[in-house]
Amino acid sequence: MSFLKDPKQTALESGVSKVAMMSSDEVVKIQDAQSGGDTQRFIRSLFPIIDQMKTYNRKFFLDDVISSFTIAFILLPQAIAYTTLAKVGVMQACVAAMFPLMFYPILGASRQLSVGPEAVVAVVTGSTIVEIMATTSAYTASQIASSLAFMVGVVCIGVGVCRGGFVDNILSGYLLVGFVLGISNLICIEQIPGLFGLTLPPAEGESSALDKLQGAINVFGTANGVSAAVGISNVIFLLAMRRIKKMYKAKYPILGKVPDILVLVVLMIGISAAFDLNGKYKVKVLGTFDNKLPIPGLPLLNGDLVGRLIQPAFITLLVGFVESQTVTKKFGLHFGYFPSGDQELVALGSINLVSSLAGGMALFGSLPRSRILVNMGAKTVLANAMAGIIVLVATQVLGPVLKFLPKPTLSGIVFAAALGLIEFKEIGFVFRIRSWAEVIMFLITWAVTIGFAITTGIIVCLGFSALLIIRRSTEAPLAVIGRVKMNLVANNDEDDGYKKDPAQLELDSIPYRYQDLVNHPYAELLEGVVAVRIMSRIMFYNIANIRRQLRDLIHAQCLLVLERRKGIRDSRMSRNGGDVRYNGHPSMAALAQDDDTAGVKVDLPGKAAGDQIEDDPMLFNTLVLDFRGCTELDAWAVFLLHNIFHSFEEHGVRVVICGMRDVQIQMFKRAGWYEDMAEDLFPSVEQGMAAIESRIQRPRWYKKRW
């Protein structure tokens, strides 16, 4: 026998003795150090760049520089191209690709998220500008765009501070896919005039995608052949490069680092300048633009404009944050970091404020650009800041070169980006598994978005999502349970709540466990007793649903008893035939005020036509409620449950409560109702059923199937 102590126990005893011998001053010092540690953790969580800089080295710096140059020269033409969607000037879009990117590393935690002007956000901005300017001439497009960016920033920060980082989960997956598909179609249709060199008459107010398509078809005869050739060939080039990268990137990794948009822009600028596409072939080009930076300052924020921008600000938040969080979660999981949604909301809100104060437009993260950032090897958020600086320098230096950029090329870049928004894989999947409910919602959202307006589409999307969330929240799964021998459930995954514990000797002595009839159709039922397991929280919003399900389950088991007495093996029963009427047990009034349980007729031996069997005490005399799966009760649920229990008692039905948690029992105690239920309160359903069986002189067990 060894007299040596366990090393872990020795260390524990040593630690305890040291704490016991500490003076009060030493304890205070330790507490101060811990509070200082909490402060440091808070600062690091608020400024994630601190932790990133701890491991920053020369290799990381070089990777960030290379990736930032690539992203900058992709972002610059994209920002210019998105001016057609956002209805703003070139420099206002470019400003959104400069200073906000420099600020994002301070608060942003997503290392591979490329922020800047984004297609869907640009569309929402443009539709907002068109809608407001159609009703008033008091504001310019620039003022509306800057004010919208400010409102988006305020809303994002407010939602983040209120810990609303879960907002990206509000939109149902296929509702969002339908909405984005509609947005993609709208963007593609809007680029048709630019691709083919068409000139459309000015529209009055916000037009739907179908209206814009009809307008383009009406003037299609005026298309410029060279513009069409340039635009279509550019789209084919970008789509082909995307396909080639996907097919051969694993074999030739260098393909992943080829900036196809930058290559296309350089190539088309050279062709345009060499062949004078604008002068000889009337191809529209970007031309000279004022590259003077706007004067920083607060945007226009009067009561009228703020009221008009509240709804677009929330819509921009939803569509922009969903894509940004998609990038954050995807690449965060891949690279081993997990940014908080609340932190990202604050960071994205802050860069929108910066954009607004600098005279820019709203911006969010972009999934396609973020993929490029990853492929180029970006390691930290500093890649965004470097890209912003490069864009700033490029707009001031490359103006004489950018003026040759053909507008069909810009439209082709946007067109290809819009096609990249379509989730072909997800759409094919939902059709393949034949989830027709989601298909219908997806198609409705898509049709509304392209047939009416963006705001209508997102409202329909939010409405459907709200209905789905409410419906799922009110669901409360219940199940009739019966006894099963221990050897039949020993390896059952469902029976994970029973562990061998000396404190549960009474439970271990019972050779049965109670399981639901769905997974155990041969479980035995005790005649006159309906045992129901509650497998969800009981709250004010689902208590009515629980009441309805209890009524249906009790009614179904009573019918099962009648079947057994009659000797019927088929569980199908007619509501309009037979000799004996079953109106339901009188206690059903405790659960329903209607006559849903009336009108069932069965032919029972020894009963004359029209005899009532509803007062038979052996049909239903005890209700057992297993609360083991109930995780939470609220005050209204406790109040209604007490009323239901009391109503059952008045109708001669005993209510036995099993497996209720201590915190739930305390609620009944505080209400003063514990004494009424204490006699029929048991730690487990096995102990409760054993007590019930001991009270019955001749208990009769039967099975649903035999």
Side-chain angles (χ1 to χ4, degrees):
M1 180 181 295
S2 174
F3 293 94
L4 293 175
K5 290 186 177 181
D6 183 7
K8 294 183 179 179
Q9 183 179 0
T10 303
L12 177 62
E13 291 176 355
S14 175
V16 172
S17 61
K18 288 180 180 179
V19 171
M21 292 185 293
M22 282 183 182
S23 65
S24 58
D25 292 338
E26 291 174 326
V27 172
V28 170
K29 289 181 181 180
I30 292 177
Q31 292 176 344
D32 291 341
Q34 289 177 343
S35 62
D38 293 340
T39 303
Q40 292 177 2
R41 281 193 295 271
F42 172 74
I43 294 175
R44 290 201 306 270
S45 65
L46 185 61
F47 303 105
I49 192 174
I50 295 176
D51 288 332
Q52 295 182 39
M53 290 298 99
K54 288 181 178 179
T55 57
Y56 203 68
N57 53 40
R58 182 179 179 183
K59 183 180 182 304
F60 282 11
F61 174 75
L62 293 176
D63 289 338
D64 285 345
V65 169
I66 294 172
S67 58
S68 65
F69 268 96
T70 305
I71 285 297
F73 284 104
I74 291 174
L75 181 57
L76 178 58
Q78 274 191 338
I80 296 173
Y82 290 156
T83 58
T84 60
L85 300 177
K87 317 299 181 189
V88 297
V90 172
M91 280 308 296
Q92 189 161 19
C94 290
V95 164
M98 299 176 190
F99 304 108
L101 276 68
M102 303 176 198
F103 187 83
Y104 178 75
I106 298 176
L107 296 176
S110 184
R111 303 174 189 178
Q112 280 77 29
L113 177 65
S114 174
V115 295
E118 200 271 331
V120 179
V121 174
V123 171
V124 177
T125 301
S127 65
T128 303
I129 290 173
V130 171
E131 184 178 357
I132 293 177
M133 295 187 69
T135 58
T136 179
S137 59
Y139 315 110
T140 65
S142 175
Q143 290 173 334
I144 297 172
S146 294
S147 299
L148 177 60
F150 189 90
M151 291 294 295
V152 170
V154 171
V155 171
C156 280
I157 294 175
V159 174
V161 170
C162 295
R163 307 189 68 82
F166 61 88
V167 70
D168 63 309
N169 298 318
I170 291 178
L171 297 179
S172 171
Y174 283 98
L175 288 172
L176 185 61
V177 169
F179 174 72
V180 173
L181 177 62
I183 290 288
S184 173
N185 297 156
L186 173 62
I187 294 173
C188 290
I189 291 171
E190 284 194 340
Q191 300 314 304
I192 291 176
L195 284 172
F196 293 93
L198 305 175
T199 301
L200 296 180
E204 295 183 1
E206 185 179 7
S207 303
S208 68
L210 298 180
D211 294 334
K212 294 175 181 179
L213 179 61
Q214 182 64 46
I217 293 174
N218 292 338
V219 297
F220 198 76
T222 63
N224 183 308
V226 178
S227 294
V230 170
I232 294 174
S233 62
N234 290 175
V235 172
I236 293 174
F237 171 80
L238 292 173
L239 295 180
M241 285 297 296
R242 190 181 300 169
R243 182 66 177 173
I244 291 170
K245 286 182 178 181
K246 187 174 182 180
M247 293 176 61
Y248 299 105
K249 187 174 67 173
K251 188 175 181 180
Y252 304 104
I254 191 64
L255 282 175
K257 298 182 180 295
V258 175
D260 44 2
I261 295 178
L262 177 59
V263 171
L264 177 64
V265 168
V266 172
L267 182 63
M268 292 312 302
I269 287 177
I271 292 175
S272 175
F275 294 95
D276 192 14
L277 295 183
N278 179 247
K280 292 182 179 180
Y281 303 100
K282 306 301 179 184
V283 176
K284 297 178 181 178
V285 296
L286 180 61
T288 58
F289 60 90
D290 184 8
N291 62 355
K292 184 179 179 181
L293 294 174
I295 299 175
L298 280 173
L300 182 63
L301 293 171
N302 58 42
D304 175 64
L305 186 57
V306 169
R308 293 171 182 264
L309 293 178
I310 290 177
Q311 183 183 17
F314 275 99
I315 293 174
T316 306
L317 162 65
L318 285 173
V319 298
F321 184 61
V322 166
E323 183 172 1
S324 300
Q325 276 298 90
T326 301
V327 176
T328 299
K329 292 176 180 178
K330 179 177 181 178
F331 295 123
L333 182 64
H334 180 75
F335 290 101
Y337 62 91
F338 307 96
S340 162
D342 304 326
Q343 174 71 24
E344 281 301 293
L345 274 172
V346 173
L348 293 170
S350 299
I351 63 174
N352 273 280
L353 290 180
V354 171
S355 179
S356 174
L357 296 174
M361 56 180 281
L363 70 152
F364 274 93
S366 168
L367 179 57
R369 285 201 309 269
S370 298
R371 287 197 183 112
I372 296 172
L373 204 60
V374 170
N375 292 335
M376 297 306 298
K379 295 297 189 295
T380 68
V381 289
L382 289 181
N384 272 294
M386 297 175 187
I389 295 172
I390 295 169
V391 171
L392 172 61
V393 174
T395 55
Q396 302 302 306
V397 174
L398 299 180
V401 177
L402 291 173
K403 69 178 182 180
F404 294 106
L405 182 61
K407 285 191 174 181
T409 298
L410 296 175
S411 296
I413 293 172
V414 177
F415 193 95
L419 292 179
L421 294 174
I422 303 176
E423 302 287 356
F424 292 102
K425 185 176 180 181
E426 284 80 354
I427 294 172
F429 175 78
V430 73
F431 277 95
R432 187 167 64 252
I433 66 172
R434 300 178 183 178
S435 180
W436 302 123
E438 289 181 293
V439 167
I440 291 173
M441 291 187 293
F442 154 73
L443 292 176
I444 290 175
T445 306
W446 167 75
V448 170
T449 303
I450 66 169
F452 295 93
I454 295 173
T455 53
T456 307
I458 195 67
I459 288 172
V460 169
C461 187
L462 287 172
F464 271 125
S465 288
L467 289 176
L468 287 173
I469 293 172
I470 293 172
R471 180 187 173 189
R472 300 287 167 82
S473 299
T474 57
E475 289 179 353
L478 307 182
V480 173
I481 55 177
R483 75 176 186 181
V484 182
K485 291 183 178 179
M486 277 290 294
N487 61 340
L488 297 180
V489 298
N491 297 321
N492 194 300
D493 291 336
E494 182 187 333
D495 190 46
D496 58 357
Y498 301 97
K499 298 180 180 179
K500 296 298 181 181
D501 190 330
Q504 294 183 334
L505 293 177
E506 183 180 354
L507 176 61
D508 292 340
S509 66
I510 302 175
Y512 298 101
R513 292 292 178 262
Y514 284 81
Q515 306 293 337
D516 66 276
L517 267 63
V518 174
N519 295 324
H520 300 81
Y522 293 93
E524 295 179 318
L525 303 174
L526 181 59
E527 187 166 299
V529 177
V530 177
V532 177
R533 176 166 292 157
I534 302 171
M535 296 179 289
S536 72
R537 62 181 63 183
I538 305 178
M539 310 295 285
F540 70 94
Y541 50 78
N542 66 359
I543 185 67
N545 196 14
I546 290 176
R547 187 195 306 228
R548 178 185 58 77
Q549 289 189 74
L550 271 177
R551 178 195 64 195
D552 293 343
L553 291 175
I554 293 170
H555 182 62
Q557 184 161 333
C558 289
L559 290 180
L560 196 60
V561 174
L562 297 178
E563 283 186 11
R564 178 182 176 277
R565 293 181 184 178
K566 186 173 182 280
I568 301 175
R569 293 177 182 268
D570 189 354
S571 62
R572 293 171 297 177
M573 304 190 70
S574 170
R575 284 182 174 265
N576 300 307
D579 296 326
V580 177
R581 178 179 298 275
Y582 168 56
N583 286 324
H585 196 275
S587 64
M588 302 294 275
L591 298 171
Q593 301 299 325
D594 50 39
D595 58 351
D596 287 350
T597 58
V600 179
K601 301 179 181 179
V602 291
D603 182 15
L604 296 180
K607 292 283 186 179
D611 284 354
Q612 299 289 330
I613 61 170
E614 59 182 0
D615 295 326
D616 185 352
M618 290 305 297
L619 195 61
F620 177 44
N621 55 55
T622 305
L623 173 64
V624 178
L625 294 177
D626 182 9
F627 279 79
R628 188 180 70 178
C630 178
T631 58
E632 186 179 1
L633 288 174
D634 68 0
W636 184 246
V638 170
F639 179 78
L640 290 185
L641 282 174
H642 176 263
N643 288 345
I644 292 173
F645 299 161
H646 184 67
S647 298
F648 272 118
E649 296 286 351
E650 286 185 339
H651 289 88
V653 175
R654 191 164 195 162
V655 180
V656 176
I657 301 170
C658 305
M660 186 173 281
R661 301 165 189 256
D662 291 340
V663 64
Q664 298 165 354
I665 294 175
Q666 288 298 325
M667 296 182 73
F668 282 92
K669 285 184 177 180
R670 287 193 291 268
W673 298 328
Y674 176 74
E675 299 299 330
D676 299 336
M677 54 189 282
E679 183 181 355
D680 293 313
L681 190 64
F682 296 91
S684 69
V685 67
E686 286 76 15
Q687 293 164 310
M689 291 296 293
I692 294 170
E693 189 176 4
S694 66
R695 299 169 185 167
I696 303 174
Q697 293 183 353
R698 297 177 58 187
R700 290 187 290 181
W701 291 89
Y702 64 97
K703 297 181 180 180
K704 180 180 178 183
R705 298 182 182 180
W706 58 89

